[in-house]
Amino acid sequence: MNYLLPLEWTRTFVPLQDRCPVSSYEAIEQMFIDDTGQPIAALFETFDREPIGAASLAQVHLATMKDTGAKVAVKVQHPTLKEWVPLDLALTRFTFRILKLVFPGYDLEWLSNEMESSLPQELDFALEGENALLTKRYFNTIDGSPLLIPDVYWGRKRILVMEYIAGHRTDDLAYLDSNGIDRDEVSAALARVFNEMIFGNTPLHCDPHGGNIAIRRNDLRPKHNFDLILYDHGLYRDISVQMKRDYAKLWLAVINADQEGMRKYSRSVAGITDEQFPLFASAITGRDYRAVSTSVISTRSAQEKEVISGAMGDGMLQELVQLLGQVPRIVLLILKTNDLTRNLDESLQTREGPVRNFLILAHYCSRTVFREQIEAVQNKGGSILWPRNMLQLLVAWTSYARVEAKLSLYEWYIYFRRIARLSPVANI
């Protein structure tokens, strides 16, 4: 994971996001004939032979629709995957089994199991189109959300035709700064979108790396001057209601540095023992355990990064591999999503530190717990005006309102500092 593994390791895999080798135009043409019964020219007025981006599973070409003239992005699967994926999965499974026999401490069979579960979904572009439209409809109901998901025109298992919406990577700081797009606002928007996916009533996008998110300026939005564009909807997961509630309580315990609560809900969320807890706390927060046990609401120092990287060379990597093999698969994907969004946030080099994003996280967590407590009162039966029910609701509402007040006051504080042209607040 980006926050725990050495930078040299994680940087090596960055080109897999959007700079992979491309499939030939001739191979793509034949795939169109095989899958649709028609050549490319029969479906599109124009079709660029060179892709604008190529990832490990697919590449994207620009085209114009024949009937409407609309500019579209055509995502096409690498044709050879149909033949090579079964072999790749079998070799991965075999390799990890041999690795386990030779080095029992490095059991990575859980990773091959997850690949066998996830890859067929990622390779079904018709399903990806359905995921995109479902998520688009959900976020269209959220007032002020800058999230923008391209419309889907049509899809097949290996071909997906979408509205073409271009943007810049979130780590293109020169573009953000030259267009007056506040990095801290982008960071807060990312936090709200993915916390809504984790704690709201919509599936979770489990692959939000830098190649799948883009920013473009949009002065027509009332609350932001940018669109947050989300691509690649192949890997989604539903999170159970109970998991959302336990995960919310875990994060509230982390934010409040509540050791007993952290240990309790780590067991509930992932079956973590007391011995495993320090490592799990670091994995879930991306922080050194000493920071977790005092106050996680601070910016990672260079020294802390060195401490974590050094610990990986001192045996923590083996413990991490074993730990990740034991946690439920949905927890693994939540951890992956958290790690990727933290990496996006760090690449933005925000000026105000992580305080605001932790308050946003606390907002979603406290809202989740508040809703659970309302449901508990309703399930008891009787009127909410009964003293015991009223007291329970009052306690729940007070906790929720306190977090809301903190977030609102902090955002107003940030706003007035900007108006007064004061320097940003790095930490509180």
Side-chain angles (χ1 to χ4, degrees), residues 35 43 57 59-60 84 101 137 177 213 254 277 319 346 356 365 381 401 407 420 426:
D35 291 13
L43 297 168
L57 301 182
Q59 61 194 46
V60 177
W84 286 103
L101 288 173
R137 286 193 293 268
D177 295 343
I213 296 177
V254 169
F277 171 70
E319 296 177 30
E346 192 165 82
R356 185 183 186 188
C365 292
L407 178 57

Side-chain angles (χ1 to χ4, degrees), residues 292-335:
V292 179
S293 59
T294 54
S295 175
V296 76
I297 306 178
S298 60
T299 302
R300 283 203 316 163
S301 65
Q303 181 181 4
E304 183 181 348
K305 296 176 186 178
E306 291 178 6
V307 167
I308 292 177
S309 295
M312 282 297 165
D314 294 333
M316 187 191 290
L317 179 59
Q318 179 177 333
E319 296 177 30
L320 179 63
V321 168
Q322 293 173 341
L323 176 67
L324 295 178
Q326 295 173 22
V327 302
R329 297 284 75 81
I330 185 61
V331 174
L332 190 65
L333 287 170
I334 293 173
L335 290 176

Side-chain angles (χ1 to χ4, degrees), residues 367-385:
R367 185 187 71 176
T368 300
V369 173
F370 181 47
R371 288 174 174 174
E372 178 187 14
Q373 291 168 325
I374 290 175
E375 183 181 306
V377 170
Q378 292 172 336
N379 290 339
K380 282 182 180 179
S383 171
I384 62 170
L385 299 178

Side-chain angles (χ1 to χ4, degrees), residues 70-336:
K71 193 170 185 179
V72 294
V74 184
K75 181 177 180 179
V76 293
Q77 197 174 115
H78 294 302
T80 55
L81 290 180
K82 187 176 182 179
E83 302 170 3
W84 286 103
V85 163
L87 178 59
D88 285 347
L89 289 176
L91 287 174
T92 301
R93 191 185 319 114
F94 175 77
T95 301
F96 288 159
R97 284 178 181 173
I98 296 299
L99 181 65
K100 181 181 177 181
L101 288 173
V102 179
F103 303 102
Y106 290 90
D107 182 3
L108 288 169
E109 285 191 290
W110 58 269
L111 184 54
S112 63
N113 293 337
E114 178 56 36
M115 288 175 62
E116 289 178 358
S117 172
S118 299
L119 197 54
Q121 296 182 44
E122 294 188 77
L123 291 174
D124 187 345
F125 290 178
L127 176 62
E128 177 179 342
E130 294 173 8
N131 290 337
L133 293 175
L134 177 67
T135 305
K136 184 181 182 71
R137 286 193 293 268
Y138 180 84
F139 277 93
N140 282 347
T141 67
I142 298 178
D143 183 49
S145 175
L147 186 66
L148 183 62
I149 295 174
D151 270 329
V152 175
Y153 287 88
W154 56 269
R156 300 288 188 273
K157 193 171 182 64
R158 297 194 293 173
I159 302 168
L160 185 62
V161 181
M162 305 164 288
E163 175 187 12
Y164 175 61
I165 303 178
H168 292 253
R169 288 176 60 105
T170 56
D171 56 5
D172 187 347
L173 304 184
Y175 172 79
L176 299 181
D177 295 343
S178 64
N179 282 273
I181 298 174
D182 194 304
R183 303 180 195 177
D184 293 276
E185 290 302 317
V186 173
S187 173
L190 282 167
R192 287 191 170 93
V193 165
F194 285 97
N195 279 303
E196 184 64 46
M197 287 186 175
I198 291 173
F199 298 107
N201 297 314
T202 187
L204 172 65
H205 185 301
C206 296
D207 201 20
H209 60 69
N212 287 341
I213 296 177
I215 301 291
R216 74 172 184 182
R217 180 163 177 163
N218 182 355
D219 293 322
L220 300 179
R221 288 193 178 274
K223 295 183 180 180
H224 305 87
N225 69 336
F226 61 86
D227 293 322
L228 183 65
I229 310 165
L230 184 60
Y231 307 116
D232 194 351
H233 303 269
L235 185 58
Y236 271 69
R237 284 289 190 277
D238 289 306
I239 305 174
S240 71
V241 173
Q242 190 58 50
M243 176 63 75
K244 291 178 183 182
R245 291 171 175 175
D246 288 340
Y247 189 64
K249 293 169 188 173
L250 170 59
W251 265 111
L252 288 174
V254 169
I255 292 170
N256 293 320
D258 175 6
Q259 287 279 328
E260 183 178 346
M262 282 190 270
R263 292 177 184 273
K264 175 182 177 181
Y265 290 108
S266 292
R267 285 192 295 272
S268 300
V269 167
I272 299 300
T273 65
D274 285 340
E275 292 75 19
Q276 296 170 320
F277 171 70
L279 180 58
F280 182 71
S282 291
I284 200 172
T285 61
R287 303 297 301 273
D288 180 67
Y289 176 64
R290 286 167 293 185
V292 179
S293 59
T294 54
S295 175
V296 76
I297 306 178
S298 60
T299 302
R300 283 203 316 163
S301 65
Q303 181 181 4
E304 183 181 348
K305 296 176 186 178
E306 291 178 6
V307 167
I308 292 177
S309 295
M312 282 297 165
D314 294 333
M316 187 191 290
L317 179 59
Q318 179 177 333
E319 296 177 30
L320 179 63
V321 168
Q322 293 173 341
L323 176 67
L324 295 178
Q326 295 173 22
V327 302
R329 297 284 75 81
I330 185 61
V331 174
L332 190 65
L333 287 170
I334 293 173
L335 290 176
K336 173 191 173 186

